[in-house]
Amino acid sequence: MIRLLNRQGVSVFAVVSAMLFCCNSTQASSTSEWTAPDQEAAKEFAALPVELIVNIKDESPYERSLRLLDQGLSIKDMPSHYFLLDSPIIKKQEDRYGPVRFMHAKHARLVRDCAVCHHYRPEDPAVKEINRCSACHQDAFDPRVVDRTGLKAAYHLQCMECHREMAKGPLSCTGCHDKKIPDHVKLIKLVDKPEPSQVTEECLRCHENQGRDMLKTAHWLWRGPSTHTVGRSKEIEIGKGTIAFNNY
Amino acid sequence: MKLNRRNFFKLAGVAGAGALATGAKTAEAWESKAPKDPFGCLVDLSRCVGCRKCEQGCNEVNKLLPPERPFVDMLLLNEKRRPDANSYTVVNRYFTGKSDEQDHLLPTYVKIQCMHCQDPACVSACLVGALTKKESGAVHYDVSKCIGCRYCMVACPFEIPAYEYFDPLTPRVRKCTFCFERIEKEGGVPACAAICPVEAITFGKRSSLLDQARTRMKKDPARYIDHIYGEHEVGGTSWLYLSDVEFNKVDFQDLPSEPIPKLPETIQHSLFSYLWSPIALFGVLSVVMANAKSKKNKEDES
Ligand code: SF4
Ligand code: SF4
Ligand code: SF4
């Protein structure tokens, strides 16, 4: 790998990390102060334990839609506009991605039929008509409810199938989730007081492709007119791409 | 006929059997040693989204080497892969002609690993009992017993066991373990089934999985083809498959419902109950090799 990128390549990462460092520090100071006003409540709601509804009423989606209509239940009765899909049930098994911020109201307005997602009701008539997903979908492979998917699969099947059918909405992991970046302190293996080039080499150990990409960007080439800055463009003649003094 | 290692062993086996059939005493009646209530997994191909998370989970839990290309690299799906010494499970992508309303071709993804056969051919082929079928359903490999003969690799109808050819000193046979250490604990689930985002892999008792598969087919008959792969194939397997496309379009073989060991176990017993048999075997092998060689020479000449 190092051979591939030659000495030039090795210095790429110094630049990238320097840039990332600047971005991070400015971002942190500007964004950390703001959180959505309803975020705390959403977190609490997501963590609430829910009792499993074992028996459900056996009816077709059509029957269910009609019955909701009869009862006058519609999206106007929606109790919450926003949910954080961050259930401890899912995190028990796997916890690799950040929670999904789910715009309940937005989805409801698009679909207009509660029964599309809230597809069954409990058998017990005393229990309320519409329940949260985790009331029925909890642990995967629960022997009490063998024909039912766990919460994680229920979300993914419901969201992804609909997104695909409607050709709308994300299908990739990071379309909905934040990526949980692993703690790099544990991953990085460096000697004491490393040379700058050793640091870059260590980055490239995992981020080989990113290193190659970097070599093609203006950040690396650092020459020619700057783009998209009409009237303010500068011709750069000296820099990483031409004469460089910190190429490591 | 192309004579690679695999074919060679097969030929040799058949020839050996033929040579001995006359000499052997009447074989004892074959009896299935399948566990009564094993665990299993039901893989629903119509659910799999091809994310390769199962490969990643498997790699981590079994402490396999980090892959050459990261698990998020979906370009790997352009090639057909097989499980190997460093990956107990792989996901392949097929385009079978299935399409959506806009006529876009839809892929079918197939996760493959050891099927954990109820009466495994690999177990009966193993001379030293390094492979065993456990009560939990897992077909377990014990490296301390293995002598490296690789008969299991030849015997397996699914071509699953792989060998660490790169390791000159302590090579091992490698295959999916069914995460036996996990599933034998209360509430334990195989790593691939736990990580799968869509529950394309359902874990449970094999009997319950068969019921679940039938329920899914009954609830949504248009979605599935009417076949649970592994229910009867080679006498039944612990891993079962449900699909929305014909199985032979996604590289599943048509296999008999007879357990494979029903044949070779008799062959082996008769083989090794006679002192002279190894010598006979080598005799047969050399004849086969010579034949194959001269045949190949002829082919080359023509
Ligand atoms: S699939 Fe092959 S390796 Fe796995 S149990 Fe069956 S015969 Fe053995
Ligand atoms: S059962 Fe375990 S060993 Fe087998 S494929 Fe799944 S994760 Fe890998
Ligand atoms: S993790 Fe599940 S959905 Fe993803 S490739 Fe494996 S079986 Fe398919």
Side-chain angles (χ1 to χ4, degrees):
Chain A
M1 165 63 216
I2 306 298
R3 256 181 287 130
L4 260 175
L5 280 180
N6 70 38
R7 246 192 70 75
Q8 269 203 328
V10 180
S11 54
V12 165
F13 260 87
V15 188
V16 177
S17 31
M19 283 178 358
L20 283 179
F21 188 73
C22 307
C23 301
N24 278 348
S25 49
T26 48
Q27 243 179 25
S29 58
S30 61
T31 55
S32 63
E33 284 137 38
W34 191 87
T35 43
D38 44 3
Q39 186 73 339
E40 271 316 306
K43 264 189 199 160
E44 270 168 40
F45 185 73
L48 277 183
V50 197
E51 205 190 321
L52 178 75
I53 295 170
V54 177
N55 296 318
I56 50 162
K57 190 179 163 78
D58 188 14
E59 60 183 341
S60 73
Y62 183 60
E63 284 169 321
R64 173 142 175 81
S65 289
L66 281 184
R67 219 163 34 75
L68 290 185
L69 270 180
D70 281 351
Q71 293 181 28
L73 271 175
S74 78
I75 62 170
K76 289 193 295 296
D77 306 294
M78 191 164 38
S80 185
H81 288 225
Y82 166 65
F83 290 110
L84 190 69
L85 309 186
D86 192 22
S87 170
I89 299 171
I90 296 182
K91 287 193 281 190
K92 241 191 307 183
Q93 282 280 6
E94 292 282 343
D95 190 15
R96 294 178 192 241
Y97 286 92
V100 171
R101 295 155 33 82
F102 178 64
M103 307 304 156
H104 188 226
K106 193 177 162 192
H107 282 83
R109 264 182 235 118
L110 278 173
V111 180
R112 307 207 63 81
D113 179 1
C114 310
V116 168
C117 297
H118 298 274
H119 50 170
Y120 287 112
R121 68 147 289 127
E123 195 176 52
D124 181 357
V127 181
K128 67 178 166 51
E129 181 68 42
I130 300 231
N131 293 277
R132 59 194 294 190
C133 307
S134 58
C136 294
H137 297 274
Q138 300 198 349
D139 294 321
F141 325 127
D142 185 339
R144 287 174 295 173
V145 282
V146 276
D147 292 315
R148 210 180 283 171
T149 51
L151 185 58
K152 178 173 70 172
Y155 281 145
H156 284 129
L157 285 169
Q158 180 72 34
C159 299
M160 290 170 76
E161 269 186 31
C162 201
H163 287 180
R164 191 176 11 242
E165 269 168 30
M166 306 228 166
K168 226 182 209 156
L171 284 169
S172 67
C173 310
T174 46
C176 298
H177 297 272
D178 270 343
K179 213 171 169 178
K180 277 204 176 150
I181 297 166
D183 184 1
H184 276 57
V185 174
K186 293 197 192 103
L187 297 175
I188 293 170
K189 296 188 192 87
L190 275 177
V191 291
D192 262 353
K193 301 221 172 62
E195 292 292 312
S197 59
Q198 284 174 314
V199 178
T200 314
E201 237 172 85
E202 176 61 10
C203 299
L204 286 171
R205 188 164 60 87
C206 298
H207 301 282
E208 182 182 331
N209 290 342
Q210 288 82 343
R212 226 186 302 247
D213 289 350
M214 174 67 189
L215 287 183
K216 300 204 174 76
T217 63
H219 292 301
W220 171 253
L221 295 171
W222 208 249
R223 79 177 118 203
S226 46
T227 47
H228 312 307
T229 43
V230 181
R232 318 197 81 200
S233 65
K234 283 189 287 192
E235 283 287 334
I236 307 285
E237 296 303 340
I238 299 178
K240 298 262 183 205
T242 51
I243 311 163
F245 48 89
N246 58 346
N247 251 353
Y248 39 78
Chain B
M1 171 184 184
K2 208 175 104 241
L3 194 80
N4 53 27
R5 224 193 83 258
R6 203 180 171 79
N7 285 333
F8 169 71
F9 275 115
K10 275 189 179 149
L11 255 178
V14 173
L20 284 156
T22 42
K25 278 184 253 169
T26 30
E28 298 144 44
W30 182 83
E31 222 179 277
S32 167
K33 296 188 199 80
K36 291 280 156 317
D37 192 22
F39 285 113
C41 278
L42 173 67
V43 184
D44 188 335
L45 301 186
S46 75
R47 279 193 191 168
C48 175
V49 293
C51 64
R52 300 187 58 216
K53 288 277 181 282
C54 45
E55 293 185 34
Q56 183 180 356
C58 179
N59 177 288
E60 289 169 12
V61 158
N62 291 298
K63 305 202 173 56
L64 303 176
L65 298 171
E68 265 170 46
R69 278 153 74 184
F71 287 110
V72 288
D73 186 346
M74 295 302 156
L75 288 178
L76 241 68
L77 293 168
N78 290 340
E79 313 144 21
K80 293 280 178 296
R81 296 173 300 146
R82 297 286 316 164
D84 61 32
N86 197 48
S87 32
Y88 296 167
T89 183
V90 292
V91 178
N92 281 324
R93 184 185 56 203
Y94 296 86
F95 287 101
T96 56
K98 188 178 67 170
S99 58
D100 65 7
E101 290 88 55
Q102 286 89 38
D103 281 343
H104 294 134
L105 282 182
L106 289 177
T108 301
Y109 298 98
V110 183
K111 172 194 189 294
I112 41 179
Q113 73 296 309
C114 171
M115 299 287 285
H116 298 275
C117 309
Q118 282 287 71
D119 279 302
C122 59
V123 169
S124 77
C126 183
L127 305 173
V128 291
L131 283 158
T132 43
K133 175 85 177 170
K134 298 176 136 224
E135 274 305 303
S136 61
V139 173
H140 177 246
Y141 168 71
D142 180 353
V143 67
S144 67
K145 289 189 185 150
C146 177
I147 53 170
C149 68
R150 281 160 286 146
Y151 279 11
C152 52
M153 299 172 65
V154 186
C156 171
F158 302 99
E159 305 188 19
I160 291 298
Y163 197 60
E164 290 177 326
Y165 286 108
F166 55 83
D167 186 343
L169 293 179
T170 52
R172 291 166 295 178
V173 169
R174 306 292 261 161
K175 69 163 200 67
C176 157
T177 63
F178 203 170
C179 291
F180 68 95
E181 275 162 331
R182 289 166 64 108
I183 65 170
E184 283 168 13
K185 267 192 226 123
E186 182 67 30
V189 169
C192 53
I195 200 173
C196 179
V198 290
E199 249 170 70
I201 312 160
T202 307
F203 171 74
K205 288 287 184 187
R206 184 173 185 270
S207 49
S208 156
L209 293 175
L210 284 169
D211 288 344
Q212 288 179 49
R214 286 193 200 100
T215 312
R216 276 186 219 174
M217 292 201 285
K218 206 169 119 197
K219 265 200 186 150
D220 207 344
R223 183 176 179 133
Y224 297 106
I225 60 157
D226 188 17
H227 183 171
I228 306 169
Y229 193 94
E231 184 181 11
H232 300 300
E233 276 76 8
V234 295
T237 55
S238 284
W239 278 63
L240 305 162
Y241 284 79
L242 260 189
S243 174
D244 51 349
V245 296
E246 291 293 337
F247 279 109
N248 54 19
K249 284 193 186 161
V250 288
D251 280 355
F252 282 79
Q253 306 172 58
D254 281 331
L255 288 170
S257 53
E258 287 282 276
I260 293 198
K262 226 172 161 171
L263 176 68
E265 225 162 66
T266 20
I267 294 172
Q268 277 164 30
H269 287 167
S270 27
L271 252 174
F272 292 94
S273 57
Y274 292 91
L275 260 185
W276 49 265
S277 56
I279 306 163
L281 181 62
F282 276 99
V284 173
L285 293 192
S286 54
V287 172
V288 172
M289 260 179 109
N291 274 348
K293 220 172 172 181
S294 63
K295 204 167 165 197
K296 191 163 183 291
N297 285 346
K298 264 186 221 148
E299 269 171 21
D300 288 349
E301 279 158 26
S302 58

